[in-house]
Amino acid sequence: MNQESKIINVKLDKRDKKDYMIFEFEEEIIVCLNEESGQSELKSVFSVLLTELIKNPVELEYIENKEYKVGLYIDVCKEYIIDLNREILRVRNNMPDRLNKINLKRE
């Protein structure tokens, strides 16, 4: 499986006094870190990641926003991306061979 990974950029931003983790898929997914809805928004991110993963290898990459200064969220975001990338790799490695072969034929 030597396919090149599709990179999904992730950055942090502050808008209207709230903190957001922004996943730059074809259509951005914005996760509010200050509200309970953030948990369900993160589930949506994981669902989109799995859909992408069926098509191509995927990797998340943290992009620093120099204007964003909330150290705790920066640390949490970086760790979350590391954990998600580890989970993505685990899922990709456990995908059935026939699903991987189907995806390779599409290329």
Side-chain angles (χ1 to χ4, degrees), residues 1 3 49-58 87-104 106:
M1 200 174 357
Q3 280 183 293
L49 278 171
L50 290 175
T51 301
E52 287 289 327
L53 190 57
I54 290 171
K55 300 175 202 169
N56 298 298
V58 180
E87 187 66 17
I88 289 167
L89 184 60
R90 187 184 70 74
V91 168
R92 182 76 181 171
N93 289 336
N94 289 323
M95 287 174 71
D97 275 346
R98 68 172 187 255
L99 183 57
N100 287 327
K101 289 175 186 172
I102 290 169
N103 289 329
L104 290 174
R106 290 181 185 165

Side-chain angles (χ1 to χ4, degrees), residues 2-3 10 14 30 40 46 48 60 66 69 79 101:
N2 292 332
Q3 280 183 293
V10 182
K14 187 173 276 293
I30 300 172
S40 63
F46 198 72
V48 172
L60 299 175
K66 294 191 185 294
K69 304 289 185 200
E79 277 302 311
K101 289 175 186 172

